[in-house]
Amino acid sequence: MINLNKKYKLKEQYKLGSDENCNYILSHTGVKCVFLNPLPAFILNNILQSNNLAATVETLSAALTISEDEAKVKIFNIIEKLSDYLEENPSIESDSVFDIEKSKEILKRNKEFICPVTKAEHPRKIKFYLTDYCPRACIYCFAGAKYIGKEKQQCNSFLSVDRFKEIILEAKEIGVNNIEISGGDPFVLPEIYEYLDVMIKYFPYEWGTSTKAHLTKFETDRLATIGLPEIQVSIDSFIPEHADKLMGVKGAFEEILETIKNLQESGIVVTTKTTITSINILDIPQLFMKLIAMGIKHLRFSYYYISANRHGDYLYPTNHQIEWLNKNMKEPLAYAKEKGVITDFYNHEPYATSRGANNRLICGGFTETLCVKPDGGVLFCDSLNHSDDFIAGNLKTQGIIELWNSDGVKNMNDPFFFKEKYKGTKCYDCHLFGNCFYKRCYVRTFAKYGRYFDIDPACPFGDPEYIIK
């Protein structure tokens, strides 16, 4: 059944973690991939910490007072179910995961029912989408921002600076950890400096805003004057035609380079963000080295992901491209480490090639983040910004805690709140309707069928040909 001499570890991009009494397999960025009930958490923890499976069998047998044969079956089942996240570990040393004593405490909770959707006492992060206009027309824009060119937005629909300040003061008081100002691109707003001034006064942490706009030296000096310490600039390639194609505007690449130069000359720390697609994936090693040569000390990367707005399957890199990039980033990553450059680049696993390998992530809607639309509406998911069904309240008239504890927010995490909207679909009469909602993705459904309330194509009863990417 199983080779007892084997040892396992989590694949490079995953880790174990706990959050509010629940255990998860997390992505390297903290995304909750798999909720683990207490017994699987206990078994997995011991699999990862033991020098071989024989030791795990002994531990489990003793802990549960069961035979070693029964323990082997349980261990085999866990390894089989989590095979997409595990790989054999040739190392003699054990990886540090949970403390063994804490692992025993996990086991004591085995008879408890723990809902995998855990909601923090208050939001830990608030992301303000102050505008849905942008000077770029990125072909992968998850927000579906409206192109405005070089104009400034003249619109009164977004939160006023005064109301924004009231919200920020409450956020500070209740212990929100992070504030982010986004869009569209917030630099199409004439008042952006006033919003940033408020944010900086109360949340003077690492970067709190980002841009793809063309910022003049006058504008970057103004940002320095109000004390902006750091800003994230999006740049996807050092091949101008590729960068321009991704941003949807000819000449955008040269403007981005000038923005970075002006920010650096004004004394503002620049971090960069790159979205990896099929168009620019072969450019990433060169981009990586060029940015380091420009003095960028923090490089962020993310692979293209599904959106309910501007989405195209052709933007997903192929497995061949992913494997090529993993191989060709070894030297750049070593160089970055030598130069003290921080990066979140990681070796991406090739996409699954069979339906059975799919694993749906746990939805993070309304667990620890508030996403605020330009008009103050608060969204269940920031990729659902064009549907009023997913607005739970409005910060123009509600306080943060009032909204966070409102029926509007509670309803979104009620598995039966949208039940009637599923009438006529396979989901409506499904006996698992109430158990699968925390892995149901409205974005996947919309991208596949053009409507939000239908079966998730990645559901075990969904499209048999559908592969999660």
Side-chain angles (χ1 to χ4, degrees):
M1 184 180 290
I2 56 174
N3 184 342
L4 295 180
N5 293 317
K6 284 186 177 180
K7 175 175 169 52
Y8 288 86
K9 66 179 180 179
L10 286 170
K11 291 179 180 177
E12 182 180 358
Q13 64 269 41
Y14 302 114
K15 59 185 178 181
L16 282 184
S18 295
D19 185 20
E20 299 192 6
N21 210 38
C22 290
N23 308 298
Y24 302 91
I25 294 177
L26 305 170
S27 74
H28 75 292
T29 56
V31 173
K32 296 171 182 174
C33 302
V34 179
F35 166 70
L36 298 168
N37 274 308
L39 182 57
F42 175 79
I43 294 173
L44 180 59
N45 180 48
N46 282 278
I47 288 172
L48 298 177
Q49 290 209 13
S50 298
N51 284 325
N52 55 60
L53 291 180
T56 305
V57 170
E58 291 177 9
T59 301
L60 187 61
S61 174
L64 299 184
T65 60
I66 58 177
S67 71
E68 291 197 354
D69 284 341
E70 290 174 295
K72 289 176 188 177
V73 171
K74 291 183 182 295
I75 292 167
F76 172 78
N77 288 338
I78 291 297
I79 292 173
E80 188 174 49
K81 287 179 180 178
L82 300 178
S83 60
D84 286 340
Y85 302 93
L86 293 168
E87 62 186 4
E88 288 187 41
N89 184 10
S91 171
I92 298 175
E93 296 182 5
S94 298
D95 295 319
S96 177
V97 194
F98 293 122
D99 178 82
I100 287 294
E101 292 306 312
K102 290 180 182 176
S103 182
K104 290 179 181 176
E105 291 301 313
I106 290 171
L107 187 59
K108 290 178 183 177
R109 302 202 313 265
N110 190 37
K111 293 183 180 180
E112 297 178 19
F113 171 76
I114 303 173
C115 178
V117 178
T118 57
K119 180 167 166 274
E121 291 184 8
H122 59 74
R124 294 170 182 167
K125 178 176 181 177
I126 304 179
K127 192 167 184 177
F128 292 92
Y129 293 90
L130 289 181
T131 176
D132 53 5
Y133 286 88
C134 186
R136 310 300 177 202
C138 297
I139 60 177
Y140 58 72
C141 180
F142 85 95
K146 304 166 190 171
Y147 177 64
I148 198 173
K150 296 184 182 298
E151 301 174 35
K152 293 294 183 183
Q153 180 184 3
Q154 301 298 326
C155 178
N156 295 318
S157 67
F158 43 82
L159 292 169
S160 69
V161 175
D162 288 342
R163 179 58 186 144
F164 178 73
K165 183 175 181 180
E166 291 173 353
I167 297 167
I168 292 295
L169 286 170
E170 184 186 357
K172 185 73 174 178
E173 182 181 348
I174 65 176
V176 172
N177 298 327
N178 185 270
I179 297 292
E180 184 178 338
I181 290 178
S182 189
D185 195 299
F187 286 88
V188 303
L189 299 174
E191 303 90 346
I192 183 57
Y193 305 96
E194 297 173 55
Y195 287 102
L196 289 174
D197 187 46
V198 172
M199 183 191 74
I200 292 164
K201 278 185 171 65
Y202 301 100
F203 287 86
Y205 310 126
E206 61 178 26
W207 73 274
T209 191
S210 58
T211 189
K212 278 188 178 179
H214 178 219
L215 300 183
T216 65
K217 185 62 165 54
F218 174 80
E219 290 172 312
T220 60
D221 283 345
R222 190 173 176 186
L223 291 173
T225 298
I226 64 175
L228 184 70
E230 186 174 333
I231 188 171
Q232 178 176 277
V233 177
S234 295
I235 181 168
D236 297 319
S237 176
F238 246 84
I239 297 177
E241 55 268 32
H242 288 181
D244 289 354
K245 181 176 181 178
L246 288 164
M247 288 188 279
V249 176
K250 190 173 182 180
F253 172 69
E254 294 299 333
E255 290 183 345
I256 292 296
L257 289 187
E258 188 173 330
T259 291
I260 292 174
K261 176 186 173 185
N262 290 339
L263 287 163
Q264 290 176 322
E265 288 180 356
S266 295
I268 297 172
V269 174
V270 176
T271 66
T272 58
K273 173 66 182 293
T274 300
T275 299
I276 302 174
T277 71
S278 59
I279 293 171
N280 67 330
I281 187 168
L282 302 184
D283 308 342
I284 298 302
Q286 178 204 42
L287 171 71
F288 198 92
M289 298 299 286
K290 290 276 190 181
L291 291 175
I292 293 175
M294 289 174 65
I296 308 298
K297 292 294 185 181
H298 195 154
L299 287 66
R300 296 182 174 95
F301 293 85
S302 65
Y303 271 78
Y304 174 71
Y305 191 66
I306 194 170
S307 167
N309 289 299
R310 217 167 287 155
H311 172 73
D313 284 348
Y314 74 96
L315 290 169
Y316 288 118
T318 66
N319 281 347
H320 178 73
Q321 288 177 323
I322 292 171
E323 289 166 353
W324 180 92
L325 183 59
N326 289 343
K327 178 181 177 181
N328 284 275
M329 280 299 292
K330 291 179 181 178
E331 289 186 15
L333 286 169
Y335 182 72
K337 185 175 182 180
E338 177 188 329
K339 294 295 182 181
V341 173
I342 300 170
T343 180
D344 62 359
F345 181 89
Y346 65 99
N347 284 348
H348 194 289
E349 283 286 309
Y351 298 120
T353 55
S354 66
R355 180 67 172 83
N358 284 347
N359 279 287
R360 294 188 290 169
L361 303 182
I362 293 172
C363 176
F366 285 146
T367 56
E368 55 185 36
T369 301
L370 285 183
C371 301
V372 188
K373 291 181 66 179
D375 63 0
V378 175
L379 288 162
F380 176 71
C381 169
D382 53 3
S383 193
L384 302 173
N385 56 339
H386 295 309
S387 174
D388 290 344
D389 285 314
F390 301 101
I391 297 175
N394 197 298
L395 284 180
K396 273 187 175 178
T397 57
Q398 295 172 281
I400 299 171
I401 290 296
E402 176 191 359
L403 191 146
W404 190 243
N405 294 321
S406 69
D407 288 341
V409 167
K410 291 175 185 175
N411 288 340
M412 296 295 169
N413 280 331
D414 176 351
F416 297 99
F417 178 67
F418 288 128
K419 180 70 183 284
E420 290 307 306
K421 290 183 179 292
Y422 284 88
K423 217 162 196 177
T425 73
K426 190 184 290 187
C427 296
Y428 189 76
D429 295 316
C430 180
H431 68 291
L432 295 175
F433 184 89
N435 292 331
C436 84
F437 81 102
Y438 62 89
K439 284 195 172 185
R440 188 182 300 142
C441 181
Y442 303 105
V443 176
R444 272 197 299 264
T445 300
F446 185 83
K448 177 72 175 178
Y449 305 115
R451 53 189 177 273
Y452 291 109
F453 301 106
D454 204 330
I455 192 168
D456 181 341
C459 167
F461 305 115
D463 183 348
E465 303 298 321
Y466 190 84
I467 302 296
I468 295 177
K469 291 187 177 182

